[in-house]
Amino acid sequence: MEPFDPAELPELLKLYYRRLFPYAQYYRWLNYGGVTKNYFQHREFSFTLKDDIYIRYQSFNNQSELEKEMQKMNPYKIDIGAVYSHRPNQHNTVKLGAFQAQEKELVFDIDMTDYDDVRRCCSSADICSKCWTLMTMAMRIIDRALKEDFGFKHRLWVYSGRRGVHCWVCDESVRKLSSAVRSGIVEYLSLVKGGQDVKKKVHLNEKVHPFVRKSINIIKKYFEEYALVGQDILENKENWDKILALVPETIHDELQRGFQKFHSSPQRWEHLRKVANSSQNMKNDKCGPWLEWEVMLQYCFPRLDVNVSKGINHLLKSPFSVHPKTGRISVPIDFHKVDQFDPFTVPTISAICRELDMVSTHEKEKEENEADGRHRVRDYKKTSLAPYVKVFEQFLENLDKSRKGELLKKSDLQKDF
């Protein structure tokens, strides 16, 4: 994908908001079929403008008002907040304490920087195809739990535009959850605990919860290729010492001897497994298969930004926002192809604006030849943004079907008197 020049951003955003942003689908999503009166009107949007000017508590009456404002302001970043008791743009006129966040999607934010203690290829804002596997595993683990353990149907996964992913759980019942319930869900999904000073961040015992077992089964599919080959986590003494810090001291000497004897991470890992599971060491209640699982979880398990998910009034970056540093669009991810998703092929704003320019020139000539006023194809469909909008539309279709199903169920129940 071509390089992005941040100096061009203001001009590119003008074109993007005027011709490429999928407003109709966006409004259809956040309006949720007009679930209740003023649902969309009570939603908070926040815009970050050029030079980090930050405007909160924006709200709009309808799609056209949202479009006009976005085209006028050209925000560098768009965040979506809660649905409030009153219109957010009138929050100053409401008496103290009455302005309350009432509903919001359950959201998750997973950021690669939280894995800096366990990835060797990159650090801070940098990512590469090697460490992106962490995001793939995170999406698979969290999505499976949301779907199977909680029964949540409508889950939209979105690339953040730079180094992470977001998930929006949009079921009607979920949008109404209290902060306490949200906290409980995040607690259930969190295994890696402790700050920078805590070396061992995962603790299991013989009674391993089904959620943990299922997560380990997902990690196992990626572990050798990702951790042992790609990250080479047992390459040398400096690295294997980090792993020794996670296992009981009683087996350190035995592991050290083996690690020195073998010459690759896969061989050394096999040695660790044998030592942990040997009948001699199994007498020690800290050994057993869960010892290798603790290491796998510490290196590969999702690390959630807990506060983003707990608070109903927390803001999260909007899908189809543009990342001002990379120029990449924050696009929905097709979960059926999550293993193939490559953040480096996500279109940048400069690429899609250029595609549109090329198409427009070609079309002008065509229109001059056939001025019969045929139905105009939406501009985003002429660019590499199209497949991502399609993923979003499929998500909206499923939401609509669900809603119609619920309405039918209600009307049937009312007939059964």
Side-chain angles (χ1 to χ4, degrees), residues 254-270:
E254 199 178 342
L255 287 174
Q256 281 279 22
R257 283 195 299 275
F259 289 168
Q260 282 158 2
K261 192 170 75 181
F262 295 113
H263 300 293
S264 72
S265 284
Q267 289 173 341
R268 288 176 182 135
W269 180 254
E270 198 45 48

Side-chain angles (χ1 to χ4, degrees), residues 284-299:
N284 169 351
D285 62 354
K286 289 185 180 144
C287 282
W290 49 91
L291 190 144
E292 64 182 86
W293 296 345
E294 284 176 340
V295 178
M296 289 166 83
L297 292 165
Q298 180 146 335
Y299 274 76

Side-chain angles (χ1 to χ4, degrees), residues 102-272:
Q102 292 184 320
E103 285 194 18
K104 184 167 167 262
E105 298 76 7
L106 172 63
V107 291
F108 297 95
D109 180 4
I110 309 171
D111 193 322
M112 198 75 90
T113 45
D114 294 326
Y115 295 83
D116 276 1
D117 60 322
V118 290
R119 59 181 183 139
R120 297 181 60 204
C121 48
C122 306
S123 65
S124 71
D126 295 331
I127 62 164
C128 69
S129 55
K130 278 184 186 174
C131 54
W132 187 258
T133 307
L134 285 166
M135 293 294 120
T136 308
M137 288 188 274
M139 288 188 274
R140 286 215 172 275
I141 288 167
I142 299 298
D143 195 79
R144 187 216 61 78
L146 293 172
K147 180 183 177 183
E148 295 174 19
D149 303 357
F150 292 101
F152 300 155
K153 277 188 185 161
H154 303 288
R155 308 169 310 280
L156 178 70
W157 284 95
V158 180
Y159 170 50
S160 73
R162 190 176 196 182
R163 56 174 185 238
V165 292
H166 302 153
C167 178
W168 297 77
V169 187
C170 301
D171 305 38
E172 191 173 351
S173 57
V174 176
R175 303 198 304 267
K176 294 177 164 58
L177 294 176
S178 67
S179 287
V181 175
R182 289 167 197 254
S183 298
I185 293 168
V186 187
E187 186 56 37
Y188 175 91
L189 296 169
S190 301
L191 282 181
V192 181
K193 291 173 182 176
Q196 284 177 320
D197 309 329
V198 180
K199 281 187 178 160
K200 188 174 167 69
K201 294 182 166 79
V202 179
H203 296 270
L204 301 178
N205 56 33
E206 289 170 68
K207 294 191 183 79
V208 178
H209 191 280
F211 164 62
V212 178
R213 282 186 186 275
K214 286 173 181 172
S215 300
I216 289 162
N217 287 338
I218 291 171
I219 291 170
K220 276 179 181 168
K221 291 174 187 158
Y222 299 90
F223 189 74
E224 182 169 353
E225 188 58 40
Y226 162 71
L228 304 179
V229 178
Q231 298 293 327
D232 209 354
I233 61 171
L234 288 162
E235 181 192 7
N236 52 33
K237 189 171 185 318
E238 186 194 342
N239 288 292
W240 76 55
D241 279 348
K242 288 179 184 171
I243 286 178
L244 289 178
L246 311 178
V247 303
E249 275 186 33
T250 49
I251 58 170
H252 279 199
D253 291 345
E254 199 178 342
L255 287 174
Q256 281 279 22
R257 283 195 299 275
F259 289 168
Q260 282 158 2
K261 192 170 75 181
F262 295 113
H263 300 293
S264 72
S265 284
Q267 289 173 341
R268 288 176 182 135
W269 180 254
E270 198 45 48
H271 174 63
L272 180 143

Side-chain angles (χ1 to χ4, degrees), residues 71-95:
Q71 288 166 10
K72 188 175 105 188
M73 311 273 261
N74 291 317
Y76 272 47
K77 180 170 171 246
I78 307 158
D79 286 291
I80 299 175
V83 175
Y84 280 86
S85 50
H86 301 75
R87 293 186 182 210
N89 62 2
Q90 295 169 1
H91 75 284
N92 285 330
T93 64
V94 179
K95 74 169 186 284

